[in-house]
Amino acid sequence: MSQQLHALDLARITVLERMEASRTALVVASRNAASPAARTPLRSSAGNVVAALTDAPHVTMLLALVVGVVVFGPRRTLTIAGRSGLAAWIGSNVRRSIAQ
């Protein structure tokens, strides 16, 4: 019986030590995330411009329109984009009406 109690105490101590280690790691990670990182001065370059454009909304759509104008011509591109936009608009309205 005393061996079982000793084993339970040992397991409890092991769990508490693991909890303390994980808490310490979380506190350190939280402090690192909260502290402002040393930032390098912003420089203007083509890489920064491209990175900023990829973060902007609807960049893929605008890029597709520009490439479409170059490849297919403006009339065909507007026809395709209009048809796709109309189909997306109808689909979103149908989904919204079904959800209500």
Side-chain angles (χ1 to χ4, degrees):
M1 186 72 165
S2 66
Q3 287 180 346
Q4 288 178 342
L5 289 177
H6 180 66
L8 288 175
D9 285 341
L10 186 61
R12 187 173 133 286
I13 290 170
T14 304
V15 169
L16 289 175
E17 287 174 352
R18 286 182 186 170
M19 288 172 62
E20 182 180 357
S22 65
R23 181 185 180 283
T24 304
L26 284 172
V27 168
V28 169
S30 176
R31 285 184 187 154
N32 289 341
S35 66
R39 295 185 180 188
T40 59
L42 294 176
R43 292 183 295 176
S44 175
S45 69
N48 290 340
V49 171
V50 171
L53 286 177
T54 57
D55 289 340
H58 307 297
V59 171
T60 306
M61 180 187 67
L62 292 174
L63 184 62
L65 285 174
V66 169
V67 170
V69 166
V70 170
V71 173
F72 297 122
R75 183 177 177 145
R76 175 95 190 244
T77 301
L78 290 177
T79 303
I80 293 170
R83 199 173 346 150
S84 299
L86 184 63
W89 179 72
I90 291 171
S92 66
N93 284 338
V94 168
R95 278 192 300 274
R96 190 178 313 134
S97 66
I98 290 173
Q100 291 177 353

